[in-house]
Amino acid sequence: VIKCKAAVAWEAGKPLSLEEVEVAPPKAHEVRIKIVATAVCHTDAYTLSGADPEGCFPVILGHEGAGIVESVGEGVTKVKPGDTVIPLYIPQCGECKFCKNPKTNLCQKIRITQGKGLMPDGTSRFTCKGKQIYHFMGTSTFSEYTVVADISVAKIDAAAPLDKVCLLGCGISTGYGAALNTAKVERGSTCAVFGLGGVGLAVIMGCKIAGASRIIGIDLNKDKYAKAKEFGATECISPQDFKKPIQEVLVEMTDGGVDYSFECIGNVGVMRAALEACHKGWGVSVIVGVAAAGQEISTRPFQLVTGRTWKGTAFGGWKSVDNVPKLVTEYMSKKIKVDEFVTHTLPFDKINEAFELMHTGK
């Protein structure tokens, strides 16, 4: 058993608490990882807020991390101690009907136990002050050591800087893949990206790499426009600057609507606007943001009858074990940006400050 520091969420709505936790050794088909770097994501904040119906407490959150394999359980063949890895919140078992289907990346092998905050055998590897602590998204990267299923880990280039590539564990991969895999953006097309946080910037990067000729960024926070243009946005607008709904503004700006739109916020009203900003006959709108539990989307069915398509994406459609190492290679060869997404680097004990910076859009 390893004793180490972890940021524990004891209950919903309270700041994370830095505690000494015990991390049990990996069982069969499990991997224990020394986490070197982790990022914070709105999904962690959503669960911490108490709004997530799958949220279990006390829990160690975090799902964008990178580290080194410390030890492996019986039957683990794909990684060994010393390997550099990224934990995966969407695993890839290679055996379930989802893994065998090229149309999806949603491996279901450990979905039920992962959703309950437990390892595949129905137990936890974390204890603190004598209490069982739940896992989160199968990863729990807010701990100096974590244990994950062997199908939830990608071995990556040992030379990769872990404080950067940890971002490929969720946000960057999600946005970049939404453009390339889900929308399949084409050269010369016009795109609109709603929400210019990390995921939105990654969508812009994907649209640019795919050869889009016009990429319109939409956000209320104008401080984000300069960064969006660095990533490839051709122009940025704020819905507050117009008297009419933003979808009408976009339809006018683009002679009938955009070819592709992306909602990167998790707001059902914006999801509707993103669909209705699409061009009749062929426009495709991709939902990337995760809305709160129980919320519903609406539009007039005529929007779809007249040839628009509404799609969703999880982790950018990437088959995780196969593709995360390739994304790291693309970053190492400078095909995709990663460093530019990092605004602040903080010590682990300032993790609550990291959440405050995220909530203020900084």
Side-chain angles (χ1 to χ4, degrees):
V1 174
I2 289 178
K3 289 186 176 177
C4 68
K5 272 195 306 191
V8 177
W10 287 107
E11 54 184 303
K14 295 277 169 71
L16 301 175
S17 171
L18 233 65
E19 306 279 4
E20 184 182 76
V21 297
E22 291 91 44
V23 185
K27 294 190 184 177
H29 294 288
E30 295 177 2
V31 179
R32 187 159 61 179
I33 301 167
K34 180 183 203 289
I35 297 288
V36 175
T38 186
V40 296
C41 172
H42 281 282
T43 310
D44 303 306
Y46 168 61
T47 299
L48 186 58
S49 73
D52 179 359
E54 265 200 355
C56 323
F57 295 90
V59 65
I60 296 172
L61 298 169
H63 63 284
E64 286 185 323
I68 309 292
V69 174
E70 177 272 334
S71 59
V72 299
E74 194 187 326
V76 175
T77 55
K78 295 208 171 133
V79 293
K80 61 185 189 304
D83 284 349
T84 306
V85 293
I86 290 177
L88 306 167
Y89 72 90
I90 292 185
Q92 187 186 349
C93 71
E95 295 164 359
C96 70
K97 67 179 178 183
F98 288 78
C99 282
K100 286 180 172 166
N101 190 322
K103 294 177 183 174
T104 185
N105 62 332
L106 296 176
C107 174
Q108 296 296 294
K109 182 85 178 260
I110 60 172
R111 179 73 201 96
I112 291 168
T113 49
Q114 181 171 315
K116 291 178 180 163
L118 299 168
M119 293 301 287
D121 73 345
T123 63
S124 168
R125 300 292 161 270
F126 298 121
T127 45
C128 182
K129 299 178 180 170
K131 290 198 177 96
Q132 170 182 284
I133 309 291
Y134 287 107
H135 294 251
F136 178 67
M137 290 174 76
T139 51
S140 290
T141 60
F142 294 172
S143 173
E144 291 178 323
Y145 287 85
T146 190
V147 179
V148 304
D150 63 352
I151 58 171
S152 303
V153 63
K155 181 182 171 180
I156 61 161
D157 183 342
L162 300 185
D163 61 331
K164 305 296 193 294
V165 296
C166 62
L167 290 167
L168 293 169
C170 177
I172 298 178
S173 305
T174 296
Y176 181 53
L180 268 63
N181 302 328
T182 311
K184 297 186 167 64
V185 171
E186 295 145 327
R187 186 161 297 286
S189 56
T190 300
C191 303
V193 181
F194 292 77
L196 301 176
V199 174
L201 294 176
V203 171
I204 289 171
M205 176 171 78
C207 292
K208 185 182 178 185
I209 286 171
S213 59
R214 196 170 172 194
I215 304 167
I216 305 163
I218 301 121
D219 202 298
L220 300 173
N221 182 350
K222 294 187 176 178
D223 295 343
K224 298 193 168 186
Y225 292 179
K227 195 80 160 171
K229 286 177 180 167
E230 247 176 77
F231 276 86
T234 52
E235 61 223 280
C236 294
I237 58 174
S238 166
Q240 287 173 333
D241 291 346
F242 301 94
K243 295 271 194 293
K244 57 177 75 164
I246 193 70
Q247 53 266 53
E248 291 179 26
V249 175
L250 286 159
V251 166
E252 280 173 22
M253 282 173 67
T254 57
D255 184 28
V258 298
D259 302 312
Y260 300 98
S261 69
F262 301 86
E263 199 279 357
C264 305
I265 302 160
N267 177 311
V268 292
V270 178
M271 291 173 190
R272 177 174 191 159
L275 176 80
E276 295 178 1
C278 282
H279 202 288
K280 181 192 274 191
W282 63 76
V284 173
S285 186
V286 180
I287 294 173
V288 192
V290 177
Q295 297 197 331
E296 297 183 352
I297 48 174
S298 61
T299 189
R300 293 199 174 93
F302 196 67
Q303 292 284 336
L304 301 174
V305 170
T306 50
R308 293 170 194 82
T309 304
W310 222 341
K311 301 182 87 165
T313 189
F315 196 54
W318 300 107
K319 300 260 191 193
S320 58
V321 174
D322 291 344
N323 287 293
V324 168
K326 292 177 185 168
L327 291 168
V328 171
T329 303
E330 286 193 4
Y331 157 65
M332 299 293 277
S333 63
K334 299 203 162 41
K335 185 188 169 188
I336 60 172
K337 296 184 197 294
V338 173
D339 297 14
E340 294 81 355
F341 285 88
V342 179
T343 56
H344 298 74
T345 303
L346 301 167
F348 187 28
D349 56 14
K350 299 253 174 87
I351 191 161
N352 287 308
E353 277 179 43
F355 277 94
E356 282 162 33
L357 288 162
M358 183 173 68
H359 286 307
T360 55
K362 292 179 180 162

